[in-house]
Amino acid sequence: MTVDGRLARGDRTRSAALDAAVVLATEVGLDGLSLARLADTLGVSKSGLFAHWRSKEALQLATVDRAVEQWQERIVAPGLRAPAGVRRLWALHRARIDFYAARVLPGGCFFASTDFEFNARPGPVRDRLAEVFGRWTAFLERLVREAVDAGELPADTDVSQLAYEIDALGIAAAMRSRLLDPDTAYRHARQGLLDRLRALCPDPTLLSEGGLP
């Protein structure tokens, strides 16, 4: 099979542009993201980007989708490598905090920033963010339910509540690390969930290998 070189170059350009757009959005916001600004950042012509996205909104939506892919790669995939149950919940949370601590995105958490930016602004971008947040919440609830089914959390665990607490610890770490001491914020976020899971789990030794770094 022959691969069209122009298509391959186009895909590479699009991928590189979206990676840069995710970074830029954490610094200037999704609303501050435009084809012209992204072109300046990349040192390319605006017309070259226009071939991929015909409007600012199209670029914004594609950037959200790329941020989701990055979240899957850097947080979800490492978390799912742990055994199902409380160890998977802990691994997922730890991967999230480690991602923040690595400062991959200089402006902080993409979703914490954009959710606050668009939560009162109706339109396609807000709708896409709400959809993403809904999927993430459902995913956390599924992992909590798996831990209950495995007997690693009590049968009467409030699944939605615990999923909410897990996400809240992540959001707090993302926000506090930008304004206060980041190491303290990350340590509190890790310790908070570790203590919560150990208190709930009938066999807290399952988390004996999950101590703080």
Side-chain angles (χ1 to χ4, degrees):
M1 181 177 66
T2 302
V3 177
D4 189 315
R6 290 171 299 178
L7 290 177
R9 286 192 297 274
D11 288 342
R12 287 194 297 271
T13 298
R14 186 179 189 279
S15 179
L18 287 177
D19 285 341
V22 171
V23 170
L24 191 59
T26 68
E27 298 175 312
V28 303
L30 266 179
D31 193 50
L33 184 64
S34 66
L35 290 168
R37 192 160 200 166
L38 182 59
D40 287 343
T41 298
L42 293 169
V44 300
S45 68
K46 179 181 174 180
S47 61
L49 297 181
F50 191 72
H52 296 284
W53 307 285
R54 294 304 179 107
S55 67
K56 175 178 177 176
E57 185 176 272
L59 174 61
Q60 290 172 326
L61 292 171
T63 301
V64 172
D65 291 343
R66 176 55 190 142
V68 170
E69 292 174 358
Q70 185 183 67
W71 190 272
Q72 294 280 349
E73 295 162 3
R74 301 295 296 264
I75 297 171
V76 174
L80 290 179
R81 285 197 285 270
V86 293
R87 287 167 291 183
R88 181 168 292 176
L89 288 169
W90 167 240
L92 182 76
H93 183 68
R94 188 172 59 185
R96 179 180 186 176
I97 302 304
D98 288 349
F99 177 64
Y100 293 157
R103 299 278 174 164
V104 175
L105 301 177
C109 177
F110 176 91
F111 292 106
S113 299
T114 55
D115 286 353
F116 279 113
E117 183 184 3
F118 277 85
N119 61 12
R121 300 171 62 176
V125 175
R126 181 190 182 281
D127 292 345
R128 183 69 58 82
L129 289 168
E131 177 192 349
V132 169
F133 187 69
R135 293 203 309 265
W136 171 246
T137 300
F139 175 68
L140 286 175
E141 291 178 353
R142 178 169 66 83
L143 295 192
V144 173
R145 197 169 291 109
E146 287 177 357
V148 173
D149 292 343
E152 295 184 7
L153 289 175
D156 62 352
T157 297
D158 187 328
V159 171
S160 297
Q161 178 65 32
L162 184 55
Y164 181 94
E165 292 173 18
I166 293 170
D167 193 48
L169 284 166
I171 292 173
M175 302 304 290
R176 285 175 173 264
S177 65
R178 308 306 301 177
L179 297 173
L180 304 174
D181 177 58
D183 291 338
T184 299
Y186 300 142
R187 185 174 69 254
H188 285 170
R190 293 187 183 101
Q191 188 71 60
L193 185 61
L194 197 59
D195 289 348
R196 183 81 169 103
L197 293 177
R198 282 175 172 166
L200 287 171
C201 185
D203 181 9
T205 62
L206 287 173
L207 293 162
S208 62
E209 299 297 322
L212 302 180

